Amino acid sequence: MNIAIISGSARPARQSHQVAQYAQQQLNKLAVSNWIWDIKESNLPLLTAVFAEQENPDYVLQDLHLKLLATDAFLIVSPEHNASYPGSLKNSMDYFFKEYSGKIFGLVGVSSGVLGGINAIKNLQQYSLKLNGIVCPQFLLTPSVQKTFNDGSLVDPGYAERMDKFLNSFLSLVKGR
């Protein structure tokens, strides 16, 4: 089993990336093969042609294509921007399509407010289905992320329990395929 954790924000002071890193730590403890697709780090340009239609895709796209094909499931960690997920996340993911088809999607919303990214999750559920993905019915909300993490360290033990419960549900679905 190989899980891609998609860290969905490209903003300089992003808080959601520490949630993606924490999810990776938990998957590593469970000995689950995984990798982080950092949207900020990959820095893909505005989409003009999907990967499949490019004559000479650059190395970054070729590498992502191969990694995504070898991935069994996707764990998207996304902040909420303007009642949805970030445009940079959609732009980056839209380069690909068949790479997602028939694979499991787990969704983690992140917010500095009390709703924990629920609007981003609702929109990502629809987007994941449009990609022919299978959406895990359980999702994880991360409200008040600035109080949950401090410089990358988890300070809320209750969140650790919620993350474990979510990952167990997500991994059960992935293993059942």
Side-chain angles (χ1 to χ4, degrees):
M1 171 179 357
N2 186 24
I3 309 291
I5 303 164
I6 304 175
S7 182
S9 177
R11 289 189 173 180
R14 60 195 176 154
Q15 296 285 310
S16 60
H17 189 64
Q18 57 193 339
V19 178
Q21 291 173 319
Y22 180 73
Q24 183 176 46
Q25 290 171 10
Q26 298 311 104
L27 289 173
N28 288 341
K29 286 180 185 176
L30 298 170
V32 174
S33 175
N34 67 82
W35 60 284
I36 291 183
W37 177 7
D38 186 347
I39 298 300
K40 180 180 178 183
E41 189 177 291
S42 63
N43 195 29
L44 297 179
L46 288 176
L47 179 67
T48 56
V50 296
F51 176 82
E53 296 174 1
Q54 294 191 17
E55 288 184 29
N56 295 308
D58 68 17
Y59 169 76
V60 172
L61 285 177
Q62 289 178 26
D63 185 52
L64 277 170
H65 166 72
L66 293 174
K67 284 182 173 178
L68 294 172
L69 283 176
T71 296
D72 300 305
F74 301 94
L75 181 60
I76 302 176
V77 178
S78 176
E80 184 170 317
H81 291 175
N82 299 320
S84 190
Y85 53 91
S88 56
L89 173 60
K90 180 155 181 14
N91 181 76
S92 297
M93 289 184 69
D94 275 354
Y95 272 92
F96 307 98
F97 183 77
K98 72 176 183 176
E99 293 83 352
Y100 307 120
S101 187
K103 297 181 182 178
I104 308 295
F105 282 76
L107 306 173
V108 179
V110 181
S111 170
S112 60
V114 296
L115 298 180
I118 188 65
N119 292 312
I121 293 296
K122 289 188 320 186
N123 288 300
L124 280 168
Q125 287 172 329
Q126 294 301 311
Y127 180 58
S128 300
L129 291 171
K130 183 66 178 168
L131 295 172
N132 292 325
I134 301 164
V135 181
C136 180
Q138 186 171 353
F139 52 84
L140 179 63
L141 299 177
T142 313
S144 305
V145 67
Q146 70 281 7
K147 295 177 184 174
T148 305
F149 289 88
N150 185 7
D151 292 325
S153 297
L154 182 66
V155 293
D156 178 359
Y159 185 77
E161 291 175 24
R162 292 191 307 277
M163 175 66 84
D164 289 344
K165 183 177 178 183
F166 164 73
L167 286 176
N168 286 335
S169 176
F170 171 65
L171 292 173
S172 292
L173 188 59
V174 176
K175 289 175 187 173
R177 292 220 60 236

